[in-house]
């Protein structure tokens, strides 16, 4: 099993400055590599609540501070990007990182973002599909001639640089609620990253099952599919009752929040969130069992785990739980669910 550490880079709160928050994110990636994570992910948001509007730029700086860890965009909102510009930016990142980019794309779920770009929400899925298909060609071909709905046509256009990875970096499709992402991933035989966020795991499992069905329909081998599954930052203690006591105040505060109401948060107790959702709360044995059960159901090769505490806001305390998680849970999961080498071929 491979493990991804991911963050949305929430905005700075006084007295922490924005510069300090970026420094913290870079240090977090360095720490994740040292701890043994396989990948580090940075989401994309165009909202005052987040500082992750330029993942290619931030990950390029992280590339200079690291040497091994894969760099992932969780997710890059391709529906709002010019695909020519995106092809150039992420190819540059792949070159600067010595071929460590895994691009994760999606339409985005932040209503502030399309407003900032003047893009109607009703167009986001179509823009994502069109933009991705053009980006694929730009990474693989020279002298591209193309016509679409959402940007001016191209006539004999070649982008430079090309990615270091050949024929191109692996592209995952972020799937949260819609079959559109699943179907686009299956069409091209690309990996699927299931957000597995605030809804019951069964909701996301249905999308993954559809993904495998559609892979077969498009002539791809479902047994070779790469699937990633997300989970919230863990709370791991020797006694499960202590973990629940730590996590409960944050859960109750979130359950009553406007964000929870807007997302249809379906859990009325922390125990229900742990039982049916993606919360990792309990003893090392309980958290290990939860991850292995998710793997049995999803057949995934990657677990993405938040590194900024949903349940534990204090960064230092959240890292302590993550370090224990990595010391006592991850080795067992890796041994029980081994994943073959997933690195693409680089020249």
């Amino acid at each position: 099993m491979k493990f991804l550490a991911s963050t949305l880079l929430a905005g700075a709160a006084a007295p922490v400055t924005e510069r300090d928050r970026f420094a913290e994110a870079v240090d977090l990636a360095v720490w994740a590599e040292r701890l043994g994570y396989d990948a580090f992910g940075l989401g994309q948001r165009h909202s005052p609540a987040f500082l992750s509007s330029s993942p290619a730029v931030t990950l390029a700086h992280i590339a200079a501070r690291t040497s091994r860890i894969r760099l992932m965009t969780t997710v890059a909102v391709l529906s709002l990007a010019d695909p020519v510009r995106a092809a150039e930016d992420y190819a540059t990142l792949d070159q600067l990182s010595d071929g460590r980019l895994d691009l994760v794309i999606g339409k985005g779920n932040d209503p502030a973002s399309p407003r900032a770009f003047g893009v109607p929400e009703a167009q986001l899925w179509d823009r994502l599909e069109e933009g991705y298909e053009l980006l694929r060609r730009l990474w693989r071909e020279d002298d591209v001639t193309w016509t679409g709905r959402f940007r001016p046509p191209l006539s004999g256009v070649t982008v430079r640089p090309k990615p270091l990875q050949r024929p191109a970096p692996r592209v995952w499709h972020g799937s949260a609620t819609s079959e559109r992402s699943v179907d686009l991933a299956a069409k091209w035989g690309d990996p699927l990253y299931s957000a597995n966020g605030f809804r019951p795991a069964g909701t996301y499992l249905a999308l993954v099952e559809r993904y495998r069905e559609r892979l077969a329909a498009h002539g791809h081998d479902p047994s070779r599919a790469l699937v990633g599954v997300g989970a919230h930052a863990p709370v791991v203690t020797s006694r499960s009752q202590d973990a629940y006591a730590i996590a409960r105040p944050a859960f109750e505060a979130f359950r009553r929040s406007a964000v929870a109401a807007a997302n249809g948060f379906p859990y009325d107790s922390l125990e229900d969130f742990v039982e049916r959702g993606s919360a990792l709360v309990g003893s090392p044995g309980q958290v290990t069992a939860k991850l292995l059960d998710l793997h049995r159901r999803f057949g995934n090769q990657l677990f993405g785990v938040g590194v900024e505490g949903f349940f534990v806001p204090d960064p230092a305390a959240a890292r302590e739980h993550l370090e224990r998680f990595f010391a006592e849970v991850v080795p067992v999961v890796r041994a029980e669910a081994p994943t073959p080498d997933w690195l693409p071929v680089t020249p």
Side-chain angles (χ1 to χ4, degrees), residues 66-95:
T66 57
S67 61
R68 174 195 59 80
I69 200 165
R70 303 291 298 175
L71 304 173
M72 300 182 72
T73 56
T74 51
V75 302
V77 186
L78 193 59
S79 58
L80 299 177
D82 183 325
V84 176
R85 179 77 265 185
E88 293 170 337
D89 286 347
Y90 287 109
T92 301
L93 172 57
D94 196 52
Q95 290 281 348

Side-chain angles (χ1 to χ4, degrees), residues 64-342:
R65 294 282 307 277
T66 57
S67 61
R68 174 195 59 80
I69 200 165
R70 303 291 298 175
L71 304 173
M72 300 182 72
T73 56
T74 51
V75 302
V77 186
L78 193 59
S79 58
L80 299 177
D82 183 325
V84 176
R85 179 77 265 185
E88 293 170 337
D89 286 347
Y90 287 109
T92 301
L93 172 57
D94 196 52
Q95 290 281 348
L96 290 172
S97 65
D98 289 330
R100 288 189 279 145
L101 171 66
D102 270 55
L103 185 64
V104 189
I105 63 170
K107 79 161 184 68
N109 64 356
D110 177 9
S113 296
R115 290 199 299 270
F117 287 84
V119 173
E121 287 194 46
Q123 294 181 359
L124 292 177
W125 285 116
D126 292 340
R127 285 176 174 269
L128 173 65
E129 184 169 1
E130 177 179 293
Y132 175 53
E133 294 184 4
L134 176 55
L135 180 143
R136 282 180 60 88
R137 290 191 60 192
L138 292 169
W139 272 357
R140 290 166 170 81
E141 303 174 26
D142 292 337
D143 300 320
V144 173
T145 296
W146 170 92
T147 301
R149 293 173 56 197
F150 301 112
R151 75 170 317 282
L154 304 180
S155 178
V157 170
T158 298
V159 300
R160 287 287 186 269
K162 288 290 194 284
L164 179 63
Q165 297 175 79
R166 294 288 187 267
R170 182 167 43 207
V171 178
W172 303 67
H173 297 253
S175 170
T177 59
S178 173
E179 295 176 349
R180 292 284 298 269
S181 289
V182 166
D183 292 350
L184 185 61
K187 175 181 178 179
W188 296 104
D190 291 333
L192 185 74
Y193 186 82
S194 173
N196 204 31
F198 291 126
R199 298 180 185 276
T203 303
Y204 303 99
L205 181 59
L207 292 171
V208 173
E209 290 172 344
R210 176 184 173 87
Y211 165 63
R212 290 196 168 97
E213 292 170 359
R214 297 307 302 161
L215 277 173
H218 285 288
H220 305 292
D221 183 356
S223 68
R224 297 175 61 85
L226 277 180
V227 174
V229 174
H232 292 284
V235 179
V236 183
T237 59
S238 298
R239 302 190 318 157
S240 61
Q241 53 264 52
D242 295 334
Y244 276 81
I246 292 168
R248 199 174 305 280
F251 170 82
E252 293 296 339
F254 182 80
R255 185 169 69 89
R256 296 178 173 85
S257 69
V259 174
N263 285 275
F265 193 62
Y267 312 104
D268 57 9
S269 71
L270 176 59
E271 287 77 6
D272 188 29
F273 191 16
V274 173
E275 175 67 23
R276 296 193 297 131
S278 56
L280 302 178
V281 179
S283 67
Q286 289 170 319
V287 174
T288 300
K290 171 72 174 285
L291 291 181
L292 290 174
D293 180 63
L294 288 172
H295 170 66
R296 178 185 59 80
R297 298 169 69 189
F298 283 84
N300 59 302
Q301 298 86 359
L302 171 69
F303 273 119
V305 180
V307 290
E308 292 175 320
F310 175 79
F311 295 114
V312 184
D314 177 63
R319 283 199 192 190
E320 289 179 5
H321 288 285
L322 284 160
E323 287 173 353
R324 184 163 188 180
F325 169 80
F326 218 86
E328 300 183 39
V329 174
V330 169
V332 180
V333 175
R334 281 179 166 165
E336 293 288 330
T339 299
D341 188 12
W342 70 332

